[in-house]
Amino acid sequence: MKIAICSKDDNIASEVEPRFGRCRFFALYDSVDYSITFIDNTAESLTEGAGPAALELLKDKGVEKIISGNFGFKLKALASDTSIQLIVLKEKHTIKDIIQLLHH
């Protein structure tokens, strides 16, 4: 399963970014082979519609779950039309913390 984690930087020591559409990077974690790759959020700089554009980007990458601090209302409605699960974090975590939690 591919899981996208919103990230402030492109390394596992980075904090999870609380803003889905405006995060700089996505950490793509594959729970089958335990690989992690970082991709640029090409939707970050859009004037409007960053969330829906980022969702489309991740959908094209085969992502099944997205972890972020927050999702906008438009995005929640769009995601419900897909099979992508949105997971909201209430506390600060690093990408490494999240991956360790996913291993258990």
Side-chain angles (χ1 to χ4, degrees):
M1 171 185 307
K2 287 189 180 176
I3 302 164
I5 308 165
C6 297
S7 183
K8 291 184 177 183
D9 280 307
D10 60 351
N11 61 72
I12 62 170
S14 174
E15 282 187 5
V16 173
E17 169 63 53
R19 301 167 302 151
F20 170 70
R22 300 293 175 195
C23 71
R24 291 184 59 211
F25 299 96
F26 291 110
L28 300 181
Y29 173 70
D30 189 319
S31 64
V32 175
D33 65 10
Y34 305 116
S35 65
I36 185 164
T37 55
F38 287 84
I39 62 169
D40 291 327
N41 176 10
T42 54
E44 173 196 17
S45 61
L46 294 176
T47 306
E48 58 183 51
L55 181 67
E56 192 64 32
L57 169 71
L58 296 176
K59 190 170 89 172
D60 291 347
K61 298 281 185 189
V63 167
E64 296 175 54
K65 293 183 181 187
I66 302 170
I67 299 172
S68 182
N70 192 22
F71 297 96
F73 291 114
K74 290 179 191 175
L75 190 78
K76 290 175 185 175
L78 285 173
S80 70
D81 294 339
T82 70
S83 59
I84 298 175
Q85 179 185 8
L86 304 180
I87 300 169
V88 177
L89 293 179
K90 297 291 185 192
E91 302 165 0
K92 288 187 178 185
H93 291 285
T94 64
I95 302 301
K96 183 178 179 180
D97 293 339
I98 299 302
I99 291 171
Q100 287 175 337
L101 290 171
L102 292 170
H103 274 303
H104 293 94

